[in-house]
Amino acid sequence: MPNKDIPDAHHVARVCPKNRVIRDGQGRPVGVFPQLYKLREKTDTRPREPYLSASYVEYFGNEHSQCLKSCVSTSAFPIKPADFMVILNAGKVRQIGATYNLKLKVVHDTANKSNPAYAKIVGTPHDATHAFLGALAATTVSLLISVEDINR
């Protein structure tokens, strides 16, 4: 079975480019913009994005800092030191989705050969103004970690 449910107590990490980070008056990161969770629309060169990509944190073990380093190093695209990782609890993602009548799945794609920890958040709305995106963004304030700090 290529997709396996990630347990509620486990986490996924999603790359957050520096331009999606909300900063306070002193420039400290305090949250993310809801657009971080917007699915990409169809273009001439790619289809409509069907799910959000992430990494299954606990796939790499129990040592949190090492798991995050592994999430960064196994990414399919280069992640810059100025970028961030947003850590989401799988159960909380499902719970927030249920609040908006969304049947979300947070799954580990076990068939992905290039990234063994590849995860998907399936069922998020395509509507960029959907309240779910803001609710999900509001849960990440204390779970935003800079890639620079992860790689230390």
Side-chain angles (χ1 to χ4, degrees):
M1 170 154 84
N3 289 330
K4 184 176 178 183
D5 282 339
I6 294 176
D8 284 349
H10 287 196
H11 302 84
V12 293
R14 182 161 166 77
V15 176
C16 178
K18 65 181 180 181
N19 66 348
R20 297 278 193 246
V21 173
I22 299 169
R23 297 178 184 275
D24 67 11
Q26 283 74 43
R28 293 181 298 243
V30 295
V32 300
F33 288 106
Q35 293 82 2
L36 176 65
Y37 302 110
K38 180 188 174 300
L39 295 169
R40 287 180 279 188
E41 294 297 326
K42 181 182 185 304
T43 67
D44 291 339
T45 59
R46 73 166 187 259
R48 187 179 203 185
E49 190 172 39
Y51 53 80
L52 294 173
S53 298
S55 290
Y56 180 18
V57 176
E58 285 82 3
Y59 172 83
F60 295 108
N62 295 320
E63 169 47 46
H64 191 69
S65 62
Q66 188 56 48
C67 289
L68 294 179
K69 283 181 182 181
S70 296
C71 287
V72 170
S73 68
T74 60
S75 175
F77 60 92
I79 301 172
K80 298 174 183 149
D83 292 336
F84 290 76
M85 296 295 279
V86 174
I87 314 304
L88 297 166
N89 173 269
K92 186 73 171 169
V93 169
R94 291 184 191 102
Q95 180 183 30
I96 293 169
T99 302
Y100 295 95
N101 296 318
L102 299 170
K103 294 182 181 185
L104 299 181
K105 295 178 184 177
V106 183
V107 297
H108 175 207
D109 183 350
T110 60
N112 190 303
K113 301 295 184 208
S114 62
N115 180 353
Y118 190 73
K120 302 175 186 176
I121 302 173
V122 182
T124 61
H126 275 87
D127 178 0
T129 64
H130 198 287
F132 167 77
L133 303 181
L136 193 58
T139 68
T140 63
V141 173
S142 64
L143 303 166
L144 182 64
I145 304 168
S146 75
V147 172
E148 184 176 51
D149 286 344
I150 290 170
N151 287 330
R152 283 188 184 159

